Amino acid sequence: MKRLSIALVIFLSTFWITGYAQQNANNKRYTDSLQHLLSVAHTDTGKASILFKLSDYWANIDAGKAIQLANQSLQLDLKKSIYEGLAHFYLGGAYFDRDLLRSQQEYMKADTLLSIYSTKEAWLYRSRAWHNYSIIEQRKDNGKGYTDILLNKAIPLAVKAGDSIRVAIDYMDVGLGFMNYEDHSRAIYYYNMAIRMLISQGKKDERLADCYVNMAKANILMGNVKAAKPFLDKAFRILSPMVDSPYLPAYYLVNGMYHNRSAEWEKANAALDAGITLANKLNMPYDINSMLYEKYEVYRGQNNLKAAKAVLMNLYNRQHIVPLKRNRQEILHELAQTEASLGNMKAAYQWLTEYNSLADSIYKAKTKTDIAALDAKYQSAEKEKEILILYNRSNIQKILFVCGSVLFLGIIFFLVYRLKQRKVKTEQQLSSLQQKQQIEIANALLEGEERERSRLARDLHDGLGGMLAGVKLNLSQATHHPALRTEDAGLNKVIIQLDDSVSELRRIARNMMPESLMRSGLQVALNDLCESFSGGTVKVELQMLNILSTIPQQTQITIYRIVQELLNNALRHARASEIFVQCSQTEDQFFITVEDDGVGFDKTALQNKKGIGLRNIQNRVDFLRGKLDIDSKPGKGATINIEISTG
């Protein structure tokens, strides 16, 4: 069983790629319910979330449909949001079984887009993207790259996201990688780590059982058969209540291996037959192939060569299910050996001929050794001997042709791959440069605006304010002149109006560049701002949580302008009487929430036509790498949530 089961590891490991669609296979009600939700979704992000689930569902069933759904999500307005990165992640999953290079490109695009977000969700999806990227490297026989990516990319990101289950899954896949290359001691090390992590999280479920099964398998392949039994028993205690669990076929397979290595042929066949029956019921063809090959091992151990040959022929006819060259080579090699043991030299030669047509440089030396062994063993069979001699003569030309073709195709593939990688890198650099330029332009505009506000505030306060104060002083002195005493009442009224004008002028100057912000910081300035808007029929309530004094001054000014603009909108456009403002901070993230009881508005109409005030708010939020979310309905008031970065 060893060689074929190792080649199948790559397919078994892909079970974790989507993790969601497998359990819903053939569930029409599930897809119908998602389609209904998609038809009634009002926001682009809501539609995108549903399209992601649909694409994920179809990824293992109909790749073309999965690709179409993922591309449909990219047509939505997802720019400057985490959903754009998620869309490329699911597009990578849709291409996973159709176009390996395109799949890897989409995963790297997702990683690039998600890398700007410091959230658990972004870190988790980046971990999954690298995990799936590594599996493709495994399928390309890049075992070193597969393990390196899991250990240095996928696992650190999963740890950062705080997802211990994802870390355990990645440890299991690292173990699978080492077992795939017969380094069973290292595989056992990583399985132990995964088991400890799952148990510490209280996860005594199918994933833990799967890890126990793999631990038992590694011990068996390592020759330590007795050590496998406790792990098999633990796995069975978890899986036995789940009669249709998709993890049970793997248990039956390894249980059959255990009894086979213990020369308990009947128990081995009973376990394998039970596994094949369940795998047929669950439509798991890869597991069926693995168990059939183990049955061949059982029959070979019993020296029942006819039954062994029948199983191999069954596997040969099923090779389209697992179209891996390595598996086909193993089946052909064993068929040749079995036919030779049965004395069917002509059939053995034919199987070896087909085997050699698939063999690469790793297998060529073994092919020649096998042919020489057959020739020595059956030298009395003159006809078969002559065939083998002719085969060896022609084989040199075939080897040269195959090697030359493989080398040429390899060079072409490498050049195409390098060109595509260079193009992707160039596009990424261009995108990064454009983003940096946009930020610099926005920064310059905002700084220029604030400088102009400051200049106007000084001119109004010191220049025009001073002039009006002087006029007021002269008029006040004039009221004491004997010739004007009859008009004292009129002059006093003008003086009062002039005094109100000076107060209004100074209020405008303070709004343009609040002295309290420069003098006392953001908390005091926001408190003064909210008090200035309160009065009469308007009530403004302010709540501040954990506001740090270390926020850069330019960022404080931008936050102040955002709140100021939101309050202006609530009073002028929403005609609100009660406004609630909440500002809070968690490390480098600053959160603003403004709720009002005003007239509200239609969000759809707002998307088509945004006012100057809302555009100013959006520009400032974008400048601070933030997110703006608006929730409002006509007659229901409005709630605006903003998340920005202060780092």
Side-chain angles (χ1 to χ4, degrees):
M1 177 62 200
K2 178 169 69 174
R3 288 183 291 268
L4 187 68
S5 65
I6 288 171
L8 286 174
V9 164
I10 184 172
F11 285 95
L12 297 176
S13 65
T14 60
F15 177 85
W16 299 104
I17 289 174
T18 56
Y20 185 87
Q22 185 71 25
Q23 63 181 337
N24 292 297
N26 303 320
N27 190 343
K28 187 174 185 300
R29 286 180 299 176
Y30 171 73
T31 56
D32 287 346
S33 65
L34 286 180
Q35 289 289 353
H36 173 70
L37 290 174
L38 182 63
S39 66
V40 298
H42 297 298
T43 64
D44 282 355
T45 54
K47 292 177 182 177
S49 297
I50 298 169
L51 287 169
F52 296 160
K53 292 181 180 179
L54 283 168
S55 177
D56 197 28
Y57 170 85
W58 287 106
N60 290 338
I61 303 171
D62 186 339
K65 194 164 187 176
I67 292 169
Q68 179 186 359
L69 290 163
N71 277 320
Q72 189 177 340
S73 70
L74 283 169
Q75 303 304 313
L76 301 171
D77 184 14
L78 305 178
K79 298 293 185 183
K80 297 181 180 178
S81 77
I82 194 172
Y83 288 89
E84 184 181 8
L86 298 184
H88 285 281
F89 170 83
Y90 284 100
L91 186 57
Y95 275 109
F96 189 86
D97 287 322
R98 174 173 286 195
D99 187 336
L100 297 183
L101 180 60
R102 178 65 184 275
S103 179
Q104 287 186 314
Q105 289 174 343
E106 293 299 333
Y107 284 135
M108 290 303 92
K109 179 71 171 177
D111 180 71
T112 300
L113 292 170
L114 293 172
S115 64
I116 64 175
Y117 299 101
S118 298
T119 65
K120 290 185 177 181
E121 184 182 20
W123 293 326
L124 179 59
Y125 271 93
R126 289 179 65 196
S127 173
R128 293 178 62 188
W130 278 111
H131 172 273
N132 299 353
Y133 187 100
S134 74
I135 297 232
I136 295 175
E137 289 300 301
Q138 172 77 305
R139 292 176 69 171
K140 295 192 298 187
D141 286 332
N142 182 10
K144 181 180 178 182
Y146 164 81
T147 305
D148 179 66
I149 291 169
L150 285 174
L151 291 174
N152 296 310
K153 292 289 188 180
I155 291 175
L157 284 166
V159 171
K160 200 172 183 180
D163 192 329
S164 299
I165 305 304
R166 171 58 53 181
V167 175
I169 291 170
D170 287 337
Y171 278 143
M172 276 196 283
D173 281 345
V174 173
L176 285 171
F178 282 116
M179 195 159 67
N180 201 28
Y181 290 93
E182 303 185 32
D183 190 345
H184 303 121
S185 59
R186 287 194 182 183
I188 288 173
Y189 169 78
Y190 282 102
Y191 288 144
N192 269 322
M193 291 180 66
I195 288 171
R196 286 198 298 269
M197 189 165 289
L198 289 170
I199 291 175
S200 69
Q201 294 296 314
K203 298 295 181 182
K204 294 186 178 181
D205 56 10
E206 292 173 305
R207 288 169 293 195
L208 179 60
D210 187 49
C211 206
Y212 284 141
V213 169
N214 281 311
M215 179 69 89
K217 184 177 179 181
N219 277 285
I220 291 171
L221 294 176
M222 199 173 179
N224 194 3
V225 178
K226 290 184 179 180
K229 189 66 167 61
F231 294 109
L232 286 171
D233 291 342
K234 291 178 182 178
F236 187 71
R237 282 196 291 271
I238 296 173
L239 295 174
S240 56
M242 312 171 192
V243 292
D244 289 334
S245 170
Y247 293 85
L248 267 172
Y251 164 78
Y252 286 123
L253 166 63
V254 180
N255 195 29
M257 292 174 63
Y258 169 77
H259 290 299
N260 185 17
R261 281 9 176 234
S262 304
E264 299 171 342
W265 317 119
E266 291 185 5
K267 289 183 178 180
N269 269 325
L272 294 169
D273 288 339
I276 291 171
T277 300
L278 180 58
N280 267 312
K281 180 180 179 182
L282 298 177
N283 190 26
M284 300 174 69
Y286 302 141
D287 298 72
I288 294 172
N289 277 22
S290 298
M291 285 180 279
L292 284 174
Y293 196 88
E294 188 61 32
K295 282 183 72 70
Y296 158 73
E297 296 276 10
V298 173
Y299 289 133
R300 191 176 68 172
Q302 293 176 297
N303 202 30
N304 188 351
L305 298 180
K306 288 185 178 180
K309 175 185 172 182
V311 174
L312 285 174
M313 288 302 302
N314 189 4
L315 280 168
Y316 178 78
N317 293 327
R318 290 170 55 87
Q319 61 184 309
H320 63 281
I321 295 173
V322 188
L324 284 180
K325 183 192 294 186
R326 192 172 178 182
N327 283 359
R328 292 178 62 194
Q329 288 170 331
E330 189 60 34
I331 293 168
L332 291 169
H333 181 270
E334 297 304 313
L335 276 168
Q337 292 284 1
T338 303
E339 292 284 16
S341 298
L342 289 168
N344 302 326
M345 295 303 301
K346 184 176 180 179
Y349 171 78
Q350 290 172 341
W351 291 124
L352 273 178
T353 301
E354 186 175 348
Y355 168 81
N356 190 66
S357 68
L358 292 174
D360 55 22
S361 58
I362 298 174
Y363 294 92
K364 285 189 176 10
K366 190 174 186 299
T367 305
K368 292 181 179 180
T369 303
D370 291 338
I371 293 173
L374 283 172
D375 182 62
K377 187 175 180 180
Y378 300 101
Q379 55 185 333
S380 60
E382 192 65 24
K383 186 177 180 180
E384 281 71 22
K385 182 177 179 180
E386 291 174 359
I387 293 174
L388 291 174
I389 291 172
L390 291 173
Y391 170 77
N392 282 327
R393 289 177 180 174
S394 63
N395 192 42
I396 296 175
Q397 295 178 345
K398 188 181 294 185
I399 291 173
L400 291 174
F401 176 78
V402 171
C403 289
S405 300
V406 170
L407 180 61
F408 176 77
L409 291 175
I411 293 173
I412 295 298
F413 178 83
F414 176 78
L415 291 175
V416 172
Y417 176 80
R418 290 290 295 173
L419 287 173
K420 288 186 176 180
Q421 289 296 101
R422 183 174 297 178
K423 181 180 178 182
V424 170
K425 185 176 181 181
T426 302
E427 290 175 351
Q428 291 174 347
Q429 290 175 342
L430 180 60
S431 176
S432 176
L433 180 61
Q434 290 175 341
Q435 186 179 16
K436 183 178 180 181
Q437 290 176 339
Q438 289 174 354
I439 291 175
E440 290 176 351
I441 292 172
N443 186 23
L445 290 174
L446 289 174
E447 288 181 354
E449 180 181 334
E450 291 302 327
R451 284 196 298 270
E452 186 63 16
R453 282 174 176 266
S454 179
R455 186 188 65 79
L456 287 173
R458 287 195 304 271
D459 290 346
L460 288 172
H461 186 276
D462 299 335
L464 185 57
M467 293 173 64
L468 290 175
V471 171
K472 174 192 169 186
L473 179 62
N474 291 333
L475 288 175
S476 297
Q477 293 175 349
T479 56
H480 299 289
H481 196 281
L484 297 175
R485 286 182 180 177
T486 57
E487 298 178 9
D488 279 356
L491 282 175
N492 286 332
K493 182 177 180 180
V494 171
I495 290 170
I496 292 171
Q497 290 175 341
L498 190 59
D499 193 54
D500 291 340
S501 298
V502 171
S503 298
E504 178 64 14
L505 181 64
R506 289 175 176 170
R507 186 190 66 80
I508 293 172
R510 283 195 302 272
N511 283 340
M512 296 189 72
M513 183 50 63
E515 295 177 1
S516 58
L517 180 62
M518 302 294 104
R519 182 179 63 253
S520 305
L522 182 60
Q523 288 197 69
V524 175
L526 289 176
N527 189 66
D528 291 347
L529 177 65
C530 291
E531 286 183 356
S532 69
F533 277 87
S534 293
T537 60
V538 179
K539 177 183 178 183
V540 180
E541 180 182 353
L542 173 65
Q543 184 181 84
M544 289 184 285
L545 303 171
N546 196 32
I547 307 300
L548 303 180
S549 60
T550 56
I551 301 174
Q553 188 178 68
Q554 183 59 44
T555 303
Q556 291 187 38
I557 294 173
T558 303
I559 292 171
Y560 180 92
R561 295 302 180 201
I562 290 172
V563 176
Q564 186 181 47
E565 196 68 50
L566 290 172
L567 288 173
N568 280 327
N569 286 346
L571 289 176
R572 295 177 183 175
H573 305 298
R575 299 191 293 278
S577 59
E578 291 188 5
I579 305 171
F580 173 72
V581 180
Q582 183 184 71
C583 295
S584 61
Q585 187 174 358
T586 302
E587 296 181 353
D588 289 340
Q589 296 301 114
F590 194 96
F591 304 89
I592 302 171
T593 297
V594 176
E595 297 179 10
D596 66 68
D597 63 348
V599 297
F601 52 84
D602 185 355
K603 289 172 61 179
T604 305
L606 182 67
Q607 290 176 353
N608 298 328
K609 184 179 180 181
K610 293 184 179 180
I612 295 175
L614 190 56
R615 282 202 301 271
N616 287 340
I617 295 171
Q618 184 69 65
N619 289 339
R620 288 185 166 90
V621 171
D622 290 344
F623 169 66
L624 294 179
R625 304 185 306 280
K627 294 185 293 185
L628 170 67
D629 180 68
I630 300 174
D631 184 19
S632 180
K633 291 181 181 179
K636 300 293 184 180
T639 299
I640 299 175
N641 293 300
I642 295 173
E643 178 183 351
I644 56 179
S645 173
T646 61

